[in-house]
Amino acid sequence: MNPLEIKLKTLTPIWTGGVETGKMDRLHETGIIGSLRWWYEAIVRGLGGHACDPTGNQSCPDKHGKRCAVCELFGCTSWQRKFKLLILDKNKRVFNIKPHEKDGLAEGTPMIWRFVELRSICDEEKWLLYQAIRIASEYGAIGGRTPRKPQNNKKVGGDFGLFSIQQQTGFPQEVSKQDVMNWSQNNGFRQIKPDNKWPNLRWFFFVHNQYLKREAINNLIGLSKNGKRITSHKDFQNALRGQRAVSKKIFSFETPPGRIWGYLPSQEMCQKTIAHLQQLEIKPENIKTGEEVLNEL
Ligand SMILES: [Zn+2]
């Protein structure tokens, strides 16, 4: 059997969540797994399956010991993750990061993610895992969801988390979306009433070939030009802006050819956001909804 591997290259630095003290020579993969789980949850919800919020007070297992379809693969209290992620360099050795990159991976780094099965992973889970990586790569970003402040010595304004997939092995091709939907709904996984605030791919929006500068983003999310004052309280703006401890839900990348993505708690707010993006001169042909991405699966 082919090992589950994705060969990829970073297009910007990737923040990996920091490195534990005393283990400075090894890449910390937790940030990447956390991001993959986040995309996997959004896809499962988008397909009508159930996914808990692992950071909230309704995380799995429930009082009957059941876990959701996402915890089944990624683990939760009393259930270990089914895989180990090895991050390998192009020679298939465990990645060594250079001291000045200790907080992450540099731009243009080739690497291999090897998913080592600790327990058997079914084809539906492999398919979902691959889609999570592919969608993050084609439309989104990984490795932490709060952009760092722009740095003076960077060519582009502090973008990070972008990567491109070059090759994959071991992920099944013959699984259909319908198979996965049936699997996620009919395997005795925990059913959980979704909170609209939990990311659902259906209500994501993606822009390619364009990006917005900070002032335009501020306009979109209802802030003054300098971002210091709230100037508009439309529902979609409140949602995109986030509140106090919750980070904003829109990300713009200057790295050519440009990218924007974000998510809303409802289809209606997603449509309002897209309408506002067009007022900011984002071309309709550059916009795609999460629903469209799901329909193409
Ligand atoms: Zn769960």
Side-chain angles (χ1 to χ4, degrees):
M1 200 175 68
N2 284 327
L4 286 176
E5 285 185 355
I6 305 267
K7 194 171 155 192
L8 54 94
K9 192 172 172 181
T10 60
L11 302 177
T12 66
I14 288 186
W15 176 253
T16 59
V19 176
E20 289 170 54
T21 321
K23 293 183 183 173
M24 298 298 252
D25 59 337
R26 274 206 162 187
L27 186 65
H28 202 61
E29 79 290 353
T30 322
I32 292 174
I33 293 177
S35 279
L36 296 183
R37 177 180 176 126
W38 189 88
W39 284 100
Y40 192 103
E41 285 169 16
I43 297 168
V44 166
R45 292 188 194 111
L47 292 174
H50 293 259
C52 73
D53 169 10
T55 64
N57 53 16
Q58 295 183 68
S59 61
C60 297
D62 67 8
K63 59 178 192 275
H64 310 291
K66 283 191 162 196
R67 54 190 168 267
C68 70
V70 178
C71 287
E72 179 68 16
L73 178 66
F74 284 88
C76 56
T77 305
S78 77
W79 180 252
Q80 198 194 355
R81 193 170 62 233
K82 282 188 177 176
F83 65 87
K84 185 169 79 176
L85 172 62
L86 290 181
I87 297 173
L88 308 174
D89 66 16
K90 57 184 183 224
N91 300 315
K92 299 211 169 182
R93 287 186 299 235
V94 172
F95 213 95
N96 281 306
I97 47 173
K98 299 182 187 91
H100 65 278
E101 294 162 1
K102 65 181 186 291
D103 57 353
L105 291 161
E107 168 192 342
T109 308
M111 62 181 149
I112 295 159
W113 293 351
R114 179 182 290 166
F115 297 87
V116 180
E117 288 183 58
L118 303 174
R119 256 197 305 248
S120 174
I121 301 177
C122 70
D123 281 354
E124 289 85 353
E125 290 172 313
K126 287 178 185 170
W127 183 90
L128 280 166
L129 182 59
Y130 181 70
Q131 296 304 336
I133 299 166
R134 184 187 66 82
I135 290 170
S137 157
E138 275 180 41
Y139 303 105
I142 55 149
R145 282 164 272 138
T146 310
R148 280 188 291 178
K149 294 224 163 56
Q151 292 174 2
N152 298 332
N153 59 347
K154 290 278 188 288
K155 291 194 291 290
V156 285
D159 283 356
F160 80 109
L162 304 185
F163 66 102
S164 73
I165 296 177
Q166 308 199 303
Q167 209 187 320
Q168 64 91 3
T169 58
F171 290 91
Q173 301 302 301
E174 61 283 0
V175 179
S176 75
K177 174 170 64 178
Q178 196 56 49
D179 292 339
V180 174
M181 289 168 86
N182 293 342
W183 165 86
S184 74
Q185 287 157 27
N186 300 316
N187 268 284
F189 296 126
R190 178 187 178 197
Q191 311 267 306
I192 179 166
K193 191 177 174 294
D195 182 325
N196 283 352
K197 291 191 195 77
W198 299 347
N200 181 324
L201 197 67
R202 209 159 279 287
W203 308 320
F204 278 52
F205 60 92
F206 304 106
V207 173
H208 70 108
N209 290 340
Q210 284 186 275
Y211 70 95
L212 290 174
K213 292 209 161 117
R214 186 173 304 187
E215 279 187 7
I217 293 281
N218 285 341
N219 176 293
L220 175 68
I221 67 178
L223 292 177
S224 58
K225 275 189 179 180
N226 64 9
K228 291 194 172 145
R229 212 161 31 83
I230 296 177
T231 55
S232 179
H233 279 283
K234 293 181 177 144
D235 56 2
F236 75 92
Q237 295 174 318
N238 294 341
L240 287 172
R241 212 162 45 225
Q243 294 149 347
R244 292 187 190 94
V246 185
S247 65
K248 66 183 165 65
K249 296 176 176 59
I250 174 165
F251 310 96
S252 180
F253 301 81
E254 200 176 332
T255 303
R259 176 179 298 196
I260 306 167
W261 66 276
Y263 59 100
L264 281 303
S266 74
Q267 181 155 38
E268 196 195 346
M269 285 191 236
C270 189
Q271 289 307 327
K272 288 180 189 170
T273 303
I274 287 171
H276 198 112
L277 281 168
Q278 293 183 41
Q279 287 170 28
L280 294 169
E281 297 182 358
I282 296 295
K283 297 180 186 142
E285 65 266 30
N286 290 341
I287 305 174
K288 200 164 186 174
T289 63
E291 185 130 40
E292 291 174 287
V293 172
L294 285 165
N295 290 341
E296 286 168 10
L297 289 174

